[in-house]
Amino acid sequence: VVFVSFGLSWLFEAVSVSYSIQKMTDRPATEHVKERFDPYVIPERFQKQVQAYLEKAKTKPNYFCDCSDFHPGGSCWKFSLRRIYTGIPGALKVYIPIHFIPMLIFRRKQLLKDPLHTIGHTAYSTVKSTIFLTSFMTQFMASL
């Protein structure tokens, strides 16, 4: 998500030049993109990607974007499955401390009284949170 919010923000802006605006003005999308993006504003490390996007838009008459612009290395389905597979460990790294540290601090008596139930309940909450975050990230990236 951090990579998406910082690394591809220029592409999200470029894609916001919608097809309906292009149809209303009868101008190709490349002209809208060029108007919105001054090459001095785009970070130098992204200028090659912007140029590649503009070249694709020049060669295809109604080019908006390809799945490969957002889902590198295969189809959208493969990318989504890979996102689930790689997202679960990352979400666990976030949610294990979030759920287990408060259990150790605030539910110590309950943990000593019934450890199996308390740890099981906290683990269940951790799994629910992990599944939520992973599915949210996957749906977000798949919708692009």
Side-chain angles (χ1 to χ4, degrees):
V1 173
V2 173
F3 173 73
V4 169
S5 62
F6 293 109
L8 293 177
S9 61
W10 63 268
L11 193 53
F12 291 134
E13 292 266 337
V15 171
S16 69
V17 178
S18 70
Y19 182 72
S20 60
I21 292 174
Q22 178 182 343
K23 282 294 188 184
M24 288 181 352
T25 60
D26 291 328
R27 292 170 52 205
T30 53
E31 291 181 23
H32 293 287
V33 172
K34 284 180 183 177
E35 284 177 5
R36 291 186 70 178
F37 297 102
D38 184 8
Y40 299 108
V41 176
I42 300 171
E44 192 172 316
R45 65 182 185 267
F46 298 128
Q47 287 184 6
K48 288 181 182 177
Q49 292 171 319
V50 172
Q51 289 302 323
Y53 175 80
L54 292 173
E55 290 302 317
K56 285 181 187 177
K58 286 179 188 175
T59 58
K60 298 178 183 178
N62 289 322
Y63 178 76
F64 184 62
C65 69
D66 283 335
C67 285
S68 63
D69 293 336
F70 297 103
H71 306 154
S75 69
C76 295
W77 284 105
K78 286 181 185 176
F79 181 80
S80 295
L81 291 174
R82 195 174 320 123
R83 174 61 65 185
I84 291 171
Y85 179 72
T86 59
I88 289 174
L92 280 172
K93 288 178 186 176
V94 170
Y95 283 116
I96 285 175
I98 286 175
H99 286 282
F100 279 91
I101 291 174
M103 178 194 69
L104 295 173
I105 295 172
F106 299 113
R107 296 170 64 187
R108 189 175 315 148
K109 286 183 185 178
Q110 186 179 359
L111 181 62
L112 294 173
K113 185 177 179 181
D114 191 8
L116 188 62
H117 175 73
T118 307
I119 292 173
H121 178 72
T122 306
Y124 179 69
S125 298
T126 304
V127 168
K128 285 192 313 185
S129 298
T130 299
I131 290 172
F132 168 76
L133 183 62
T134 303
S135 64
F136 181 78
M137 289 186 329
T138 303
Q139 286 178 344
F140 174 75
M141 291 301 292
S143 68
L144 294 177

